Amino acid sequence: MNKRILTEALRMAIRHLPNHPAVNETWMHWSFIVVDNKIVEWGTNLRGQPPIHYAYNKKIVDVDAHCKLHSEIVAYRRAKKLLGRDLGSFEVINVRLNKQGHTKISAPCCCCAPLLKELGCTRFYYTTDAGWGKLV
Ligand SMILES: [Zn+2]
């Protein structure tokens, strides 16, 4: 991954920060889908529930609790719709910011990481408190 693309994703997230749907909550995530070294689409975490076949809820023991839509899956589904096809191999950039616009850890969760890998993600890049991390 070209460092310029990571910087571009971070800039886009910072610009979008005041409009993030969870701006008054703790978790403000963005995911960017990268195909052939270009950001093709992005998404944020949202209040809705993920499709049941993605199996996010199987790790929740409280029957009244529901998993929210993670930014990775929102971005993936938008990219697939935009391109009108499966993405083939792609990379994901995760960004998490606090209200002050400082980067926070945004490694993919135990549901998103295997799911996105199965869908074709070859590598995750994610923000940390001090820069970038990588998950292969
Ligand atoms: Zn997740």
Side-chain angles (χ1 to χ4, degrees):
M1 171 89 60
N2 190 322
K3 177 101 168 99
R4 182 188 55 80
I5 300 170
L6 297 176
T7 306
E8 185 185 345
L10 183 57
R11 274 205 202 114
M12 287 170 75
I14 289 170
R15 210 175 316 135
H16 182 255
L17 179 62
N19 299 314
H20 191 288
V23 71
N24 292 315
E25 297 166 30
T26 315
W27 306 99
M28 288 183 283
H29 285 266
W30 291 259
S31 289
F32 298 83
I33 304 293
V34 179
V35 178
D36 296 332
N37 279 314
K38 283 193 189 104
I39 294 172
V40 293
E41 191 49 288
W42 60 284
T44 65
N45 54 313
L46 295 170
R47 277 190 174 275
Q49 286 183 43
I52 198 159
H53 64 279
Y54 287 156
Y56 279 82
N57 287 320
K58 77 177 180 190
K59 301 210 167 143
I60 295 178
V61 263
D62 180 353
V63 288
D64 294 324
H66 293 287
C67 198
K68 292 180 180 156
L69 276 164
H70 292 200
S71 58
E72 292 92 331
I73 211 64
V74 172
Y76 173 80
R77 292 172 84 197
R78 281 186 183 168
K80 190 175 168 183
K81 194 172 175 187
L82 182 78
L83 298 179
R85 60 171 169 84
D86 282 333
L87 304 185
S89 66
F90 61 95
E91 295 172 298
V92 173
I93 302 170
N94 274 359
V95 174
R96 184 177 143 221
L97 299 173
N98 66 11
K99 287 175 193 168
Q100 291 73 40
H102 300 141
T103 59
K104 293 287 166 192
I105 184 86
S106 64
C109 73
C110 62
C111 291
C112 287
L115 176 62
L116 272 284
K117 268 189 178 179
E118 197 164 306
L119 292 169
C121 179
T122 54
R123 199 164 291 150
F124 286 95
Y125 294 85
Y126 56 89
T127 54
T128 67
D129 288 10
W132 293 97
K134 185 167 76 172
L135 183 70
V136 182

